[in-house]
Amino acid sequence: MAPALIAVILIAVVLVVIIIKSIRIVPQKTEAIVERLGKYRVTLGAGFHFLFPFLDRVAYECSLKEEALDTLPQTCITSDNVSVVVDGLIFIEVQDSKAAAYGIDNYRYAASQLAQTALRSCVGKLALDKTFEERDSINAQVVEAIDAAAASWGIKVLRYEIKDITPPDSVKAAMETQMIAERQKRADIARSEGEKQAIINRAEAAKLDEVLKSEGERERLMNEARGKAEAITTVADATAKALLTVGETLNSAGGADAASLRIAERYVEAFEGLARQSTTLILPAEAGDVASMVGTAMSVFGKVKGKDGVPKADKNEGQGDFGFTLE
């Protein structure tokens, strides 16, 4: 091979290397820290960039994406001296690539260790029961503690989440016993409330039943009284009409003879009824003289009418007589 060809090939290789060294493509959501002769020169954003070969070099590449860092489980002691194992997850984001590259050697490790320290401090201020109830408060306190220290690292702590809190087995057993007792207590309270409500409902039902019975009895008595009053009124009206009819009949022609005949019939019927009901009879001396008894009855009727043959109730009103004169 000719020396000239070898020289051309070497020059071509050198040019390719120079081109490769001078070209830098930075991906999206990534920043590159460029140093020239070991000194910070510039921060390259996403895109296509040219560098001075052999003078400039990319010293660091920082991802601007949100990162999730898993913190190792650690033992924390609560304020009531109970040891619990807590592990969590921290979410961070690089906001200043230069500070993240030169502010600390490994910001991921530093953030994880600081999260563990802050977590132990927060749990130590709380009782065991509160550690389960105050998770959001613990998370916020850890984020605040890391953020204050990581400001010079160029990173932002977005949030911290406790994954699990594991108490000792003895504490677990005690908590389960307490939980069972609490649930039994709630069940007893619910049962007693139900029995109380049932008693109240039965009492109200009995009261309503008595009220309805009394109202029904009152309505019944009122209906009976109303019925009796209507019956009395009906009987009185019928009696009044009957008396009026009798009076008109007595004032008509032959009324006195009809009254005498009716009195005689009733007289005979009365003695017939006495004979049926008893074997012993007490009779007046003139029991067989029906005419005498009828005359006596008609004389009483005549006295009721008055001396002039006009009824006393009608004498002052100019009413007519019955059309006959008693002897």
Side-chain angles (χ1 to χ4, degrees), residues 2 9 46-47 91 113 120 147 192 194 203 212 250 258 273 279 290 292 318-319:
I9 294 174
F91 297 84
Q113 293 299 311
R120 284 195 296 267
D147 240 3
S192 63
L212 293 177
L250 291 176
T279 57
V290 178
S292 175
Q319 300 290 335

Side-chain angles (χ1 to χ4, degrees), residues 111-133:
S112 177
Q113 293 299 311
L114 189 56
Q116 292 180 359
T117 303
L119 180 62
R120 284 195 296 267
S121 176
C122 294
V123 172
K125 298 176 182 178
L126 301 173
L128 177 61
D129 294 338
K130 290 295 183 180
T131 58
F132 297 97
E133 300 174 3

Side-chain angles (χ1 to χ4, degrees), residues 13 24 39 56 64 323:
V13 171
R24 187 69 177 183
K39 183 179 179 181
D56 295 339
L64 302 182

